[in-house]
Amino acid sequence: IAPWDLATVASAPELVYIEGPKRMYPAAPALNRSLPAVGLDSIHTANPGYRGKDVMVAFIDSGLDISHPAFLSESGATRVLAVWDQVVTLPGRSPEDLGYGTEWTADDIDAGRANVFDRSGHGTHVIGIAAGNGATRDGAGTTGATTPQYIGVAPEANIVLVRTTYTNVAILDAAIYIIGRAEQFGMP
């Protein structure tokens, strides 16, 4: 809002709250400190340990770098069970119950047929925090090697992603899709 328009906006009867700008400071990468700080390292190594095995973690975000080794299983197969790209619709690839976008399966990803990307990197970053297995390819370790300080909260979890258009209807459709996939895969 331009400063000269503030008085007009402030007098609107439907206005509940106005907050001025705040200075934002970039956060230093801290995944290596955050998991121990909340006790997840002890949960991962407990007997039995909890690392997300047989659980589905779902995301509504900007996309995913599906080729990143942090999202692979120990056998080298993808842990991404399904991706629904709401942005691009390819004929014959839309989820039947939703009718738009493009759906990719784990088989598509493992076979190299899936065209999934993340231009901003936000989705990949968020999914890495939640479900990354610690494998890197950026100099922090050798490709495919586990780097324990970068392990996510649920490093063995299966992943479902909706690359969204961020409209309210798209977000609701994404929730419908995710619930349907949880039922399809029989996973919480």
Side-chain angles (χ1 to χ4, degrees):
I1 298 171
W4 51 87
D5 291 332
L6 190 55
T8 304
V9 171
S11 65
E14 56 275 344
L15 179 69
V16 175
Y17 177 76
I18 293 179
E19 182 175 25
K22 292 182 180 179
R23 185 160 194 57
M24 303 299 287
Y25 298 95
L31 186 58
N32 59 332
R33 293 189 307 268
S34 62
L35 293 184
V38 298
L40 277 169
D41 54 341
S42 61
I43 291 171
H44 284 173
T45 59
N47 188 12
Y50 298 100
R51 300 171 56 85
K53 186 173 177 59
D54 299 323
V55 171
M56 184 186 96
V57 183
F59 303 88
I60 303 169
D61 213 312
S62 62
L64 175 65
D65 176 357
I66 58 170
S67 68
H68 198 289
F71 310 115
L72 299 177
S73 68
E74 286 183 14
S75 69
T78 189
R79 289 186 295 122
V80 180
L81 299 176
V83 174
W84 178 32
D85 186 340
Q86 294 177 330
V87 180
V88 177
T89 299
L90 296 177
R93 297 223 52 120
S94 297
E96 229 177 88
D97 50 341
L98 294 158
Y100 70 98
T102 302
E103 184 175 38
W104 301 104
T105 66
D107 288 342
D108 293 324
I109 294 167
D110 283 337
R113 292 186 299 263
N115 186 13
V116 179
F117 54 91
D118 185 9
R119 284 196 176 111
S120 73
H122 185 270
T124 301
H125 176 78
V126 169
I127 296 168
I129 291 169
N133 66 12
T136 66
R137 64 169 179 215
D138 63 358
T142 59
T143 301
T146 296
T147 308
Q149 70 266 30
Y150 298 116
I151 289 176
V153 173
E156 295 177 11
N158 295 292
I159 299 164
V160 170
L161 167 70
V162 177
R163 179 174 173 244
T164 187
T165 60
Y166 295 103
T167 67
N168 55 351
V169 172
I171 299 296
L172 291 172
D173 284 347
I176 291 166
Y177 177 82
I178 289 165
I179 292 166
R181 293 310 158 268
E183 290 171 357
Q184 173 188 349
F185 299 125
M187 293 185 180

